[in-house]
Amino acid sequence: MNRLLLPFAGFAVLVAFLAFGLTLKPSEVPSPFIDKPAPDFTLPQLDNPSETFSPSAMKGEVWLLNVWASWCYACLEEHPVIMDLATTHALPVVGLNYKDIRQEAIAWLERHGDSYRLSVSDTNGRVGIDYGVYGVPETFVLDKNGVIRYKHIGPVTPSAVRDTLLPLIRELQK
Amino acid sequence: MSRWWLPLLFVFLALPAWAGDHAAETRMLSIAEELRCLVCQNESIAASRADLAVDLRQQIREQIQAGRTDDDIRAYMVERYGDFILYRPPLKATTVLLWFGPLLLLAFGIGLLAITLRRRRANRLDERLSLDEQRRARALLGQTNDVGDLR
Amino acid sequence: MIPEIGHYSLILTLFVALAQGWIALAGAARNNATWIAFARPAARAQFLLVLISFVLLAWSFAVNDFSVSYVAQNSNSYLPWFYRLAAVWGGHEGSLLLWLLMQTGWAFAVSVFSKQLPDVMVARVLGVLGLVTAGFLLFVLLTSNPFDRLIPAPTDGMDLNPLLQDVGLIFHPPLLYMGYVGFSVVFAFAIASLLAGQLDSTWARWSRPWATAAWLFLTLGIALGSWWAYYELGWGGWWFWDPVENSSFVPWLVGTALIHSLAVTEKRASFKNWTVLLAISTFALSLLGAFLVRSGVLTSVHAFATDPRRGVFLLLLFAVVVGTSLLIFALRAPKVGMGGRFDLISRESLLLVNNVLLTVAAAAVLLGTLYPLFIDALGMGKLSVGPPYFNAVFVPLMVPALILMALGPVANWKTAKVRTLTKHLNVPAIVAVTAGIATPFAFGRWSLLVAMGIALAAWIATAAVLGIFQRVRATRTGLLAQPRSWLGMHVAHLGIAVFTVGVTLVMAYETEQDVRMAPGETVNAGAYDLIFHGVTEALGPNYVAQVGEIALSRDGDEIRTLRPEKRNYFSSDMPMTEAAIDANGLRHVYVALGEPLGGDAWSVRVYYKPFVDWIWIGCILMALGGLLAISDRRYRLKKRERRARSTAARAAT
C-alpha cells in the first residue's frame, strides 16, 4: 500500500510547486547589482551636452536612476508618478535617456514635464547594458554610498511607490 | 547619378574586412547562441531580432576584437544580467540536482528494474504445483483422462 | 443570437457530461442495465452538442461577426477565408473549444468502436471520459467562453497573429490535440479497470489500439510543429527545447513507453501496475502541458495570452483529475498476480529497459523545463535552462534505446538466447560499423558523432529490413500478408532510423551565412551559387511584402528562382519573414531576407541543410507504422466473429 502511494505523494509535491509558481513572475530578470556599487559612467547631459555627469556626483544623497525614452509608451504612463516622487517627496531623480534622439527627448520632456534633477544621454545603450537594463522603463534606487539597493522593472506604479519604494527610501535616508 | 561606381568601390574596399571577419563572426554567433535574449525570452541572442540582442551581438564582436576569451565574454554578460542569461546553467550548488538528476534517475530506474526482476525470479522458483494441482492441470490440458492417468 | 446558441449548447453539454459521468459510473457499480445503457447515447449527444457550438463559432468567423469578442481579437475582414476558419483555434478560448470537440469526438469513437467490449466496461470508460469533459467544460464556461460579446462591436477585428497565418496553423493544433486528448481514452480504460477491480491482460488488449492511435496523432502534431517553426521563423531551426515544445514532447516519450509496455502486458500479463501507471501518467502529462502553456508559469514564444484565473483553474483541474486517479491507483491496484515469468534476457526485459530509458528521458526533459520554476519558488535565484542542457542530457539516454531497437524485435518472449540474438544481428552490426565509418568521409569531414549517429541508424534500419525479408521468405505469403502490427513495428523503427540520419547529418554539416548582398552579387553555399537580383514590392490580401529575387544554380546550371519575402501585415508592427526553400529530398537550400542596408543592398541569410527533410519523413514513417498497427486484422476479427456467431445462432434455431 505504501509503495503505491508514492506516485501520489510525488504528484502532490509537484502541484504545490506549480501552485506557488503561479504567484511568481518568470519573465522578470532580477538584477545582480543589488547591494553592489553602481557601475561608474560618464555621460553627456541631455540639456547641456558639453557638461557630463557621473554617479559619484550623487554621493551623500539617496537617489533614483530612471531609464526612459521618448519612444517608450510605458514611460509616458509612469512619468506622472516619477514627477510626483521628485517634487512631492523631494527625491532626486536622474534620468537615463536610453537609445534616444536628443531633439526628440528634449521635446518629450517639454511636452510632458521635466522634474528630473537632470537627464543624461545614453545614445548607444552601453551604460544601459552595464546596468543590466533589458527593457524600458526601469528604475534603480541608490543609497548615499552609491550602492544599488533596488531595481524596479517596468513602469513605476503608485502602489509600488507606496508599498516598496518609499519605505525603502525612508530607510536609506536615515 | 554620375559617380555610379562609388558604391561599388566602397563594397570592394570593404570586402577584405568582410572576409577576415568571417571567423570572428562565427565565434560571435557560437557565443551568442548560448545566451538567452532577455526581451524575446525564448530566443537566443544569436537569433533574436530585438534591439537589445543587436546591441549585445555588437558588444560581443567588440570584445572578440579586443582579444577577450569566450569565458571572459560570458562572465561579462553574467555580471550584468545574472545567470539567467546563460542557456547552459552553470554547475553550482543550486544546479547539482539539475545536472546529475537524470543520471541519478537512470541509476534508480535500472536498479529498481533489476531488483524487481530478481525478486520475481525468486518468487517464481518457490512456486510449485502440488500433485493434485498437477493432475488437474494435465486434465485441463487434455493430456489425461478424467481419472488422471496419462493417455 | 447565433453565438448565444453556441454558448447554450456548451452549457447543455456540461449537464449531459455530468449526468453521464454519474449515471454511467453508478450504473456500472450497481450493475444497473438501464443506467449503463445511458452511456453510449450520452457520449454521442455530447459530441453533437459540442459540434454545434464549434460550427457556430466557425460561422461567426466566416461572417465576420466582430460583436463576438474572440472573433474581434483573432480575425479581420481582410483575412483570407481559410485562415478565418483556422482562426477558430488561433486563440486560447477557441483552441479549448477544439480540445472539447476532440474530447467528445474520441468518446464518440469509443461509443461506436466498442461493440465487442462488455457494456459495463464501456459505461465506466465513457463515464470517466464524461467527467473529464465536464471538467474542461467548466473551465471554458467559467473562464474562457469563446462566445463572450463585445459591445459596442468594433468595425473590424485585430487580425490573426501573422505568425499564425500559415498552413501550419490549419493542421498543427488539431493533430496535436487529437494526440493529447486521445490519451484520455487509454487513461479512461485504466481507471475503468481499476474501478472494476479487474486488471488483467484483456484491459491491455482493448486499450492498445487507442493508445497507438493517440500516439500517432501526437507524433504528426509535433513533427508538423517542428516543420512549421523551421520555415516560418526564418532561422532554419527545427527544435528549440522551448517549454511549450517540451510540454508536448514529454507526453510523447511516456506515450511511446506506454505502447511498448502495453505490448508486454497484453502478451504476458506482466507489469500491469506499471502499465496502468503509465496510462495515467501520459494523460496527466497532457494536462500538465495544457497548464504550463496557458498559465504563464513558464515563458515561451508559444504561450497564449495568460490570465492568472485560468492558471488556477487549470491547476485545479490537473490536481483533481490526476490526484483522484493516483489515489484510485493506490487503493485499487492489485497487489498480487505477477503474470508470466521471463528471463533476464528476453523480449519482456528488453522492453522494460526501453521503458526505463524513455521514462527517465521524459523525467529529464521535465526536470529541465520545470527547474527554473523550482529554483525561483525556493527563492534561490533565477536560472535559465536551454538547449545545451537538454542536448547534453537527452542524447546519451537515447543511444542505448536506439541500440535496443534492433535487439527487441529479434528477442523471443520469455527467454532469448544470446546466440540467437547475435546470429540475427551479425549483418546489421557489420553494416552499421561500415556505414558509420564511411559516411562522414562523403561529407568531407570525419566526425565521431556523425559516425555514431549513422551507425545507430544503419543498425536499426538493417535489422528491420532484414527481419521483414527473412519473415516474408519464411512464410512465403508476401509482404502485405504479414501481420500489420508486426509490419507497423518495423516501419515505425525504420522511421526512427531515418529521423536519426536527418538529425545527425543536418547538425553536423549544415552551413549558415549572414551576408550583405547588393544586386548582382553572388554567394556560395556548398556546391550552389545564389545570385541576388534585388527586392520588389508586392501587395497581399492583408499585408505589404518586400519580395527578393534570388537565382539558384549549381555548376552554372540554373535550378530555379527563390523568392524570400519580408511581410508587413497591416495589423502588426513586427515584420514577418517568409523563407524561400529549394528542397530535393536530400538537402534544403534555405534563403531568408534580413534587413535593408541602404542602396539596393540587403542582408540575406543563406542556409545549406543536408538531409533535413529526413527529420520529418522519419516522423511520418513512425506515424505510418502506428497506423499499420491499429489496422491489424485482430481488431477487425471481432466483426467477422460476430457475424459468424450470429449466422451460427440463426442456423441453430
Side-chain angles (χ1 to χ4, degrees), chain B residues 11 34 36 41-42 46-47 49 84 86-89 94-95 97-99 102 105-106 109-110 113 117 120 123-124, chain C residues 235 242-243 299-300 338-342 352-353 360 363-364 371 375 382-386 388-389 393 516 521 575:
Chain B
V11 171
E34 290 212 354
R36 179 185 290 269
Q41 285 190 354
N42 267 73
R49 287 169 281 198
F84 188 71
L86 294 173
Y87 259 154
R88 183 190 291 265
T94 47
T95 58
L97 206 61
L98 176 68
W99 281 105
L105 282 171
L106 183 65
I110 297 281
L113 183 64
L117 287 181
R120 294 177 108 249
N123 278 344
R124 269 301 174 189
Chain C
W235 292 89
D242 176 272
T299 45
S300 162
M338 296 215 265
R341 72 159 274 203
F342 51 86
L352 286 170
V353 177
V360 172
Y371 206 74
I375 293 293
K382 270 243 162 74
L383 264 189
S384 133
V385 180
Y389 171 79
V393 149
R516 179 189 191 281
E521 286 182 354

Side-chain angles (χ1 to χ4, degrees), chain C residues 24 32 42 70 85 116 167 212-213 267 293 307 318 378 453 508 531 590:
Chain C
N32 183 323
Y70 181 69
L85 289 180
Q116 74 277 27
V167 69
T212 312
K267 281 263 162 47
V293 169
D307 176 356
F318 175 63
L378 293 171
I531 308 175
Y590 180 116

Side-chain angles (χ1 to χ4, degrees), chain A residues 27-29 64-83 85 93-100 108 116 128 131-141 150-157 160 165, chain B residues 38-39:
Chain A
S27 56
E28 261 190 18
V29 185
L64 258 56
L65 182 69
N66 174 244
V67 184
W68 67 275
S70 64
W71 44 261
C72 156
Y73 183 72
C75 302
L76 194 55
E77 265 178 35
E78 73 161 4
H79 200 60
V81 182
I82 300 286
M83 290 214 291
L85 272 171
V93 184
V94 173
L96 184 75
N97 185 236
Y98 182 74
K99 299 203 71 175
D100 213 344
W108 193 85
Y116 290 112
Y131 273 72
V133 169
Y134 67 93
V136 193
E138 289 180 4
T139 307
F140 296 85
V141 178
Y150 183 72
K151 176 182 176 185
H152 183 95
I153 297 168
V156 175
T157 58
L165 292 176
Chain B
L38 297 158
V39 180

Side-chain angles (χ1 to χ4, degrees), chain A residues 1-4, chain C residues 273 329-338:
Chain A
M1 178 64 171
N2 277 331
R3 229 165 14 120
L4 293 176
Chain C
N273 283 352
F329 172 74
L331 293 169
R332 301 290 289 232
K335 292 153 199 86
V336 293
M338 296 215 265

Side-chain angles (χ1 to χ4, degrees), chain A residues 1-172:
Chain A
M1 178 64 171
N2 277 331
R3 229 165 14 120
L4 293 176
L5 268 176
L6 278 176
F8 180 77
F11 165 76
V13 171
L14 175 68
V15 172
F17 267 111
L18 293 175
F20 194 63
L22 282 173
T23 64
L24 303 170
K25 288 185 222 142
S27 56
E28 261 190 18
V29 185
S31 174
F33 288 109
I34 306 293
D35 295 334
K36 294 221 179 75
D40 199 23
F41 63 83
T42 309
L43 282 180
Q45 295 185 22
L46 183 67
D47 288 324
N48 208 346
S50 52
E51 301 258 318
T52 61
F53 167 84
S54 288
S56 48
M58 303 298 289
K59 278 257 166 71
E61 293 186 83
V62 175
W63 59 290
L64 258 56
L65 182 69
N66 174 244
V67 184
W68 67 275
S70 64
W71 44 261
C72 156
Y73 183 72
C75 302
L76 194 55
E77 265 178 35
E78 73 161 4
H79 200 60
V81 182
I82 300 286
M83 290 214 291
D84 184 64
L85 272 171
T87 50
T88 320
H89 300 278
L91 199 63
V93 184
V94 173
L96 184 75
N97 185 236
Y98 182 74
K99 299 203 71 175
D100 213 344
I101 297 173
R102 188 169 165 264
Q103 291 310 323
E104 293 184 13
I106 294 176
W108 193 85
L109 287 176
E110 259 166 43
R111 226 175 13 245
H112 302 292
D114 181 6
S115 22
Y116 290 112
R117 173 77 67 90
L118 58 102
S119 276
V120 291
S121 300
D122 185 15
T123 327
N124 53 17
R126 282 306 155 75
V127 173
I129 291 181
D130 275 339
Y131 273 72
V133 169
Y134 67 93
V136 193
E138 289 180 4
T139 307
F140 296 85
V141 178
L142 293 95
D143 70 7
K144 299 181 183 176
N145 299 315
V147 173
I148 294 178
R149 290 296 185 175
Y150 183 72
K151 176 182 176 185
H152 183 95
I153 297 168
V156 175
T157 58
S159 55
V161 169
R162 192 184 53 234
D163 300 328
T164 319
L165 292 176
L166 278 179
L168 174 66
I169 292 168
R170 299 265 149 70
E171 187 62 37
L172 295 173

Side-chain angles (χ1 to χ4, degrees), chain C residues 341-385:
Chain C
R341 72 159 274 203
F342 51 86
D343 276 359
L344 210 58
I345 301 194
S346 60
R347 194 182 284 196
E348 290 96 321
S349 62
L350 291 175
L351 280 173
L352 286 170
V353 177
N354 147 300
N355 262 216
V356 170
L357 290 167
L358 283 170
T359 320
V360 172
V365 174
L366 197 60
L367 181 67
T369 310
L370 291 177
Y371 206 74
L373 188 147
F374 293 152
I375 293 293
D376 199 4
L378 293 171
M380 299 203 278
K382 270 243 162 74
L383 264 189
S384 133
V385 180

Side-chain angles (χ1 to χ4, degrees), chain C residues 224-241:
Chain C
L224 189 56
S226 159
W227 181 64
W228 185 18
Y230 170 77
Y231 73 77
E232 180 65 23
L233 294 178
W235 292 89
W238 51 271
W239 190 256
F240 307 87
W241 295 110

Side-chain angles (χ1 to χ4, degrees), chain C residues 24 61 74 210 253 373 381 493 569 574 604 616:
Chain C
F61 271 90
N74 291 289
W210 295 100
L253 287 168
L373 188 147
H493 289 174
Y569 283 81
M574 257 313 212
V604 181
W616 304 299

